[in-house]
Amino acid sequence: MKKILVTGGLGFIGSHTVVELQNAGFEVIIIDDLSNTTINVLDNIIEITGKKPDFHQIDLRIKNDVKNFFDKHQVDGIIHFAAFKAVGESMHKPLDYYENNLSALVYLLQEMRDRKIDNFIFSSSCTVYGQADELPITEKAPVKKAESVYGNTKQIGEEIIEDASKAHGINAIALRYFNPIGAHESVKIGELPLGVPQNLIPFVTQTAAGIRKELSVFGDDYPTSDGTAIRDYIHVVDLAKAHIAALQRLINKNNKKSFEFFNVGSGTGSSVLEVIKAFEKASGKPLNYKIVGRREGDITAAYADTTIANKALNWKTEKSLDEALDSAWKWQLKQK
Ligand code: UD1
């Protein structure tokens, strides 16, 4: 049985990916520093799959701790989620973001080089495209100068991996996520935003639950059909499955280059107002919202052309926006 290290494995996307890895027959070791999640997620994963992943609370910025981990554990691949991800915060704490998101990456790749570990999957983001000139966005779209420090850590991260993969023969895939939402159908794992959510869906579900007074819709003067911005929302379980598909591609040596990247989205663009309407249908509740000005740094529209990912990964999304919103709402109702 192949053993896979999942860093950030107790986070939102990480936990769903651990479940899918276990379902696919992989043995999982999780590293998480619990900075943005809780240890309960581990028990909830075990409740879903009946299998206990090996867990280590390690801060990947501490090089010696990373080395000690690899001295004791052999793995056949790494899926690296552990990173800071708040766009606004990244502008105020650039050095913390560069340290956490890049030093950990370098330390992991150094261990892979030194111990001849192959197969690396990296959490990247569609933010690397900025406002693309053409929609839907294909992998051929140019990477634009990042608007945020967070986005820059993803761009630099991809460059580091590409250089390391060429020099040291580490096969790697970066998955450029669009907007992951939703929760596992068991409603045992989901998104756990700390404090006031910055992303749309957790803000929507918290507003419907009465935790927030109203949702601010950031801008209705975009050049779109209803004036609100368009994004590509992908169910987190579909996204999790893309990681297993990417890992299989590397393990089966089906990759065409040592470093590849793929767009992981649903392929469908939805406006903020469309999301609100779909959520009202899924929850059966009207949502309290008001239109306010645009949020700084936001782009008009981003949605994926998934043709290349569908073919290369032999993967496609299976769940609809309605299902994703329904699961996000059920998850919200379970929170105290
Ligand atoms: C954001 C990040 C992106 C990151 C992604 C991770 C920015 C500019 N981009 O994407 O780099 O990879 O999260 O999930 O922050 N909206 C509202 N009201 C709200 C919240 C959001 O109207 O209270 C709108 C936004 O203007 C946007 C859409 O909802 O049009 C989605 O926003 P969000 O969930 O924050 O995702 P992105 O901005 O696409």
Side-chain angles (χ1 to χ4, degrees), residues 176-235:
R176 294 176 173 171
Y177 310 155
F178 283 68
N179 293 56
I181 61 165
H184 192 262
E185 61 182 5
S186 65
V187 206
K188 290 184 191 297
I189 52 173
E191 194 168 4
L192 283 170
L194 285 184
V196 183
Q198 306 300 312
N199 293 119
L200 179 62
I201 304 308
F203 206 105
V204 164
T205 60
Q206 289 195 6
T207 305
I211 301 167
R212 312 278 158 213
K213 206 170 113 274
E214 66 186 351
L215 169 77
S216 295
V217 173
F218 298 137
D220 69 348
D221 58 349
Y222 285 102
T224 62
S225 58
D226 63 22
T228 63
I230 291 175
R231 297 288 184 277
D232 180 335
Y233 299 92
I234 174 171
H235 196 301

Side-chain angles (χ1 to χ4, degrees), residues 26-39:
F26 289 97
E27 194 178 328
V28 179
I29 310 188
I30 295 172
I31 288 181
D32 202 300
D33 67 358
L34 302 181
S35 62
N36 195 21
T37 187
T38 69
I39 191 67

Side-chain angles (χ1 to χ4, degrees), residues 3 27-31 42 52-56 69 73:
K3 201 186 276 189
E27 194 178 328
V28 179
I29 310 188
I30 295 172
I31 288 181
L42 186 63
K52 190 177 187 314
D54 190 6
F55 171 69
H56 299 266
F69 170 85
H73 303 275

